[in-house]
Amino acid sequence: MTSRIIPVSAFDYVVFGATGDLTYKKLIPALYHRFADGQFDENSRIIGLARKNLTNDEFKQFVKKSILEHSDKSLIDEKNIERFLPCFHYIMNDIFKDNGWSELAKILRKDENIVRAFYLAVPPSLFAPICENIAKYGLWRCDARVVVEKPLGHDLASSKAINNAIEKTFCEDQIYRIDHYLGKETVQNLLALRFANILFEPIWNYAHIDHVQISVTETVGAGNRAYYDETGALRDMVQNHILQLLCLVAMEPPASDSANALRDEKLKVLHSLAPIRGNDVERLTVRGQYGSISSENATVKSYQDELPPDLKGSLTETFVALKVNVDNWRWAGVPFYLRTGKRMAKRMSEIIINFQQIPHSIFSHSDKAPNPNKLVLRLQPDEGVKLFMIIKDPGPGGMRLKEVHLNLSFADTFTERTPDAYERLLMDVIRGNQTLFMRRDELEAAWAWIDPIMQAWKESDKPPQIYSAGTWGPTASIALIERDGRSWHDEDDF
Ligand code: BG6
């Protein structure tokens, strides 16, 4: 792969929550990678704000530690790190008090002409006071950007409240709502696959596709995170990441790659999702919670056992599977099966397009029709695309049919490092490109679809089904797809 680094203009990234986990594990390493690749230089400044009483030097040590722990080992270079560290400045700031804001204003005023971005790596309850202070201290500019991240609400009403608070200071063109899945290379590759090739689009519809599966499974647990217990798998993964993936699979070709052209098409998909409410919730959704599992060597705790005492008995789902219909002409009668969970058998994110059976088999020696074609897009790990096809098994023995796959493994095809999603997204903010960020109406359409499911679960007297840690979720999830005569894609089949 020939690398084409397009340098971005100098910028000021003002990061609120500068000593938090997101900054430490994702933002600093991503910025370092872009710096090491030469995408920006020392004229850019990264100004961290947090409540901790740190000196500039102490903050730089924190930055260095983050790079050493979380950046790609192939890019760690002492000289680069030493060139990168002077970009950082630290300001002690309590968002609710006056300290720090004037100092921030002073630093920003040193160069009024460079791109200005505010990254709110803090809980949403702090978005409103931060935005108010940005205006109050004269830090707002009509070309400034603000970056926010989930959880952008826990339902439609709270999501509206968050957006209203941000919009008191910033307008939609200035707001970058991150869904880091959109920054993943393979997710963008889905756009290339669909719209830069003629092959798939003519058959990308109800006439040729039997069903679609989207699985995002993780092996890690969730129990220690109080935030997760208030959230659960449906809000944490489906409302954002998985629905965004579904949109990219299901949307009509946008007229261009402009941010709004793409987001208009995604919005239409969200508006076409068949509502799941009332009695349908039990039929079309499965929620689970992981139980413990013990082997000779180790015991994996159940979700309940990981929780602090005051949260015991929680009904929060750590797994969800759904059968979803997209009620429009292209997808009439084509179910989308979605599933995601913590403490599953494998970490894996895949989109599987299952094509229809051939209409008639001419192969009289074969007692069953050949397996239908299948296109598998693997987002992680082992990013790549596989097309399952039927060929003749070579050699004598009659016309024996065999399933093989055309394999486009990214690791084998491209030798360069695959950038982390944040690298792309952080630079897109500086470039002013909102294509891979969610617009307010998309976010709200997703919540409007999720809310009735949450409501029905709340009213239900059935708790989530327990599944053993390290498995593929509750048996009801297998039944959800098998009662339609289909099955989840075999995870080893890649
Ligand atoms: C986050 C969720 O948005 O995505 C986490 O809040 C989840 O619970 C994570 O673990 C998964 O992201 P990735 O990139 O590791 O698939």
Side-chain angles (χ1 to χ4, degrees):
M1 184 168 66
T2 48
S3 149
R4 255 183 79 226
I5 308 288
I6 306 172
V8 295
S9 331
F11 56 79
D12 279 334
Y13 244 119
V14 180
V15 181
F16 293 91
T19 54
D21 241 29
L22 177 67
T23 309
Y24 189 71
K25 292 187 181 155
K26 292 290 179 188
L27 307 185
I28 294 171
L31 287 166
Y32 173 68
H33 290 157
R34 296 293 88 231
F35 179 85
D37 270 350
Q39 196 153 20
F40 65 91
D41 61 24
E42 298 89 337
N43 293 320
S44 292
R45 294 176 302 181
I46 301 149
I47 306 149
L49 286 93
R51 274 186 307 186
K52 276 196 187 137
N53 188 0
L54 297 181
T55 62
N56 260 329
D57 282 343
E58 284 166 338
F59 185 57
K60 286 177 191 173
Q61 284 316 307
F62 169 85
V63 170
K64 186 167 181 179
K65 199 160 161 262
S66 143
I67 297 170
L68 296 177
E69 269 177 37
H70 293 288
S71 65
D72 195 288
K73 299 290 165 269
S74 68
L75 288 178
I76 293 185
D77 174 276
E78 197 57 40
K79 273 196 198 140
N80 269 341
I81 297 178
E82 290 312 314
R83 279 179 50 233
F84 183 53
L85 290 180
C87 296
F88 284 83
H89 302 263
Y90 183 75
I91 299 177
M92 189 175 116
N93 161 259
D94 182 333
I95 287 153
F96 296 101
K97 297 198 179 131
D98 282 336
N99 68 319
W101 291 100
S102 313
E103 197 182 336
L104 175 61
K106 207 165 133 201
I107 296 185
L108 291 180
R109 256 182 240 124
K110 275 191 198 147
D111 194 344
E112 285 282 5
N113 296 319
I114 63 179
V115 174
R116 182 175 296 175
F118 299 97
Y119 199 118
L120 312 194
V122 292
S125 54
L126 300 180
F127 292 175
I130 292 179
C131 290
E132 277 166 26
N133 280 336
I134 287 174
K136 180 173 153 193
Y137 288 90
L139 311 178
W140 182 88
R141 278 194 339 218
C142 63
D143 61 348
R145 290 129 217 206
V146 64
V147 189
V148 289
E149 212 169 316
K150 70 188 259 289
L152 294 173
H154 51 88
D155 57 12
L156 179 59
S158 53
S159 165
K160 282 188 174 171
I162 290 171
N163 281 315
N164 289 343
I166 303 171
E167 283 181 4
K168 283 194 180 146
T169 305
F170 294 97
C171 64
E172 184 63 36
D173 287 354
Q174 297 179 287
I175 305 173
Y176 289 71
R177 296 181 192 83
I178 286 203
D179 180 320
H180 79 278
Y181 264 59
L182 293 180
K184 289 185 190 273
E185 282 287 322
T186 342
V187 175
Q188 293 159 60
N189 203 31
L190 178 56
L191 294 176
L193 195 80
R194 283 194 63 194
F195 305 127
N197 295 287
I198 193 75
L199 276 183
F200 295 112
E201 212 40 37
I203 55 170
W204 205 260
N205 55 44
Y206 73 96
H208 301 94
I209 293 179
D210 176 74
H211 74 283
V212 177
Q213 297 179 17
I214 303 178
S215 285
V216 180
T217 58
E218 298 180 274
T219 50
V220 291
N224 284 331
R225 293 160 60 196
Y227 151 73
Y228 191 88
D229 197 62
E230 290 163 14
T231 309
L234 187 68
R235 291 186 180 114
D236 186 45
M237 296 297 287
V238 179
Q239 186 274 338
N240 36 73
H241 308 323
I242 294 188
L243 285 186
Q244 285 291 318
L245 296 180
L246 185 152
C247 285
L248 295 179
V249 172
M251 71 183 186
E252 295 302 315
S256 73
D257 65 356
S258 78
N260 279 336
L262 192 92
R263 298 188 298 178
D264 287 346
E265 294 307 334
K266 285 195 287 161
L267 182 66
K268 286 185 208 159
V269 175
L270 291 165
H271 284 154
S272 309
L273 294 178
I276 302 184
R277 50 170 70 116
N279 292 339
D280 283 343
V281 174
E282 192 159 340
R283 194 170 53 84
L284 301 175
T285 75
V286 173
R287 57 182 172 144
Q289 193 183 78
Y290 56 84
S292 64
I293 191 152
S294 300
S295 67
E296 276 175 16
N297 308 325
T299 298
V300 178
K301 281 187 184 174
S302 68
Y303 180 69
Q304 293 293 337
D305 288 342
E306 287 174 344
L307 286 172
D310 56 319
L311 295 177
K312 295 273 185 243
S314 157
L315 296 179
T316 297
E317 78 289 354
T318 60
F319 172 94
V320 61
L322 305 153
K323 179 182 173 186
V324 178
N325 283 305
V326 180
D327 278 349
N328 62 19
W329 190 304
R330 186 189 280 259
W331 296 109
V334 180
F336 284 66
Y337 298 95
L338 318 178
R339 70 174 169 172
T340 183
K342 302 271 184 205
R343 286 259 191 265
M344 307 275 291
K346 261 193 187 167
R347 174 175 185 256
M348 178 193 76
S349 301
E350 283 186 342
I351 300 171
I352 300 120
I353 313 293
N354 293 273
F355 290 93
Q356 290 197 1
Q357 186 59 268
I358 49 166
H360 165 74
S361 176
I362 63 165
F363 303 103
S364 51
H365 292 303
S366 189
D367 48 4
K368 67 177 181 72
N371 284 346
N373 298 125
K374 194 159 46 176
L375 180 70
V376 182
L377 290 114
R378 176 65 77 94
L379 312 185
Q380 58 193 27
D382 314 324
E383 292 94 333
V385 179
K386 273 190 184 172
L387 179 61
F388 288 69
M389 305 190 65
I390 305 297
I391 58 154
K392 177 190 173 293
D393 203 358
M399 187 67 169
R400 287 169 299 113
L401 300 178
K402 185 176 162 67
E403 187 176 59
V404 291
H405 47 250
L406 294 177
N407 182 5
L408 174 65
S409 150
F410 284 15
D412 294 347
T413 314
F414 308 106
T415 49
E416 287 192 2
R417 185 183 68 86
T418 305
D420 180 73
Y422 279 91
E423 296 180 43
R424 166 78 195 247
L425 297 174
L426 285 168
M427 293 299 103
D428 277 354
V429 172
I430 302 306
R431 280 187 280 256
N433 181 353
Q434 290 185 305
T435 309
L436 298 176
F437 296 83
M438 286 184 296
R439 211 167 52 189
R440 175 173 181 159
D441 47 9
E442 281 181 81
L443 184 73
E444 293 183 358
W447 277 122
W449 186 79
I450 291 286
D451 273 3
I453 303 176
M454 293 301 316
Q455 188 56 31
W457 282 353
K458 206 167 141 196
E459 287 162 8
S460 155
D461 50 4
K462 289 193 184 147
Q465 301 183 27
I466 302 298
Y467 60 97
S468 298
T471 64
W472 289 104
T475 47
S477 148
I478 297 169
L480 176 81
I481 190 164
E482 290 196 345
R483 67 170 177 250
D484 294 341
R486 303 177 174 114
S487 56
W488 291 109
H489 176 68
D490 184 347
E491 69 283 358
D492 291 326
D493 222 357
F494 191 75

